[in-house]
Amino acid sequence: MCESVGWEYRRVGVLDSVLRANLRWLSGYRHPRVLRPALAGDLLEVFVRARPLMSGVVAVGAPPVVLPVLFHLLWHRRLEVDLAAALLSDDTVVGSGSGW
């Protein structure tokens, strides 16, 4: 089927359980409806230097409002985190890539 539309694929094995769980969680925030541009801009500024997830979120605003935007940015790789190291938590280090 892939070949019929010009795609190639490679099966590389089973994902590590931590990576799989983190990707599954973040995938729930991939839709554009989650993005709030003003908050996204604030998060990108806050995480220019790597810091713990929750400290950056609290610096921007109320966690129930800010966390979905952060997860959206992580899914779309606008912010970075080591998804294979451990399950996402308040202490997970988040950065912009340039601040690592």
Side-chain angles (χ1 to χ4, degrees), residues 16-17 22 45 75 79 87-88:
D16 170 76
S17 61
N22 284 330
E45 285 182 31
W75 175 260
L79 290 173
L87 293 175
L88 291 172

Side-chain angles (χ1 to χ4, degrees), residues 22-31 69-79 81 83:
N22 284 330
L23 289 173
R24 183 173 291 146
W25 177 261
L26 292 177
S27 73
Y29 298 91
R30 68 183 179 267
H31 196 278
V69 180
L70 173 65
F71 295 149
H72 180 84
L73 294 174
L74 289 171
W75 175 260
H76 288 280
R77 297 175 141 187
R78 304 258 330 264
L79 290 173
V81 66
L83 294 173

Side-chain angles (χ1 to χ4, degrees), residues 16-62:
D16 170 76
S17 61
V18 170
L19 176 60
R20 185 176 60 243
N22 284 330
L23 289 173
R24 183 173 291 146
W25 177 261
L26 292 177
S27 73
Y29 298 91
R30 68 183 179 267
H31 196 278
R33 72 176 168 262
V34 177
L35 182 61
R36 294 181 179 200
L39 289 177
D42 292 344
L43 284 165
L44 291 170
E45 285 182 31
V46 163
F47 287 110
V48 163
R49 289 193 176 212
R51 65 192 291 179
L53 182 149
M54 193 54 73
S55 72
V57 167
V58 170
V60 171

Side-chain angles (χ1 to χ4, degrees), residues 3 5 21 58 63 89:
E3 190 176 313
V5 294
V58 170
S89 73

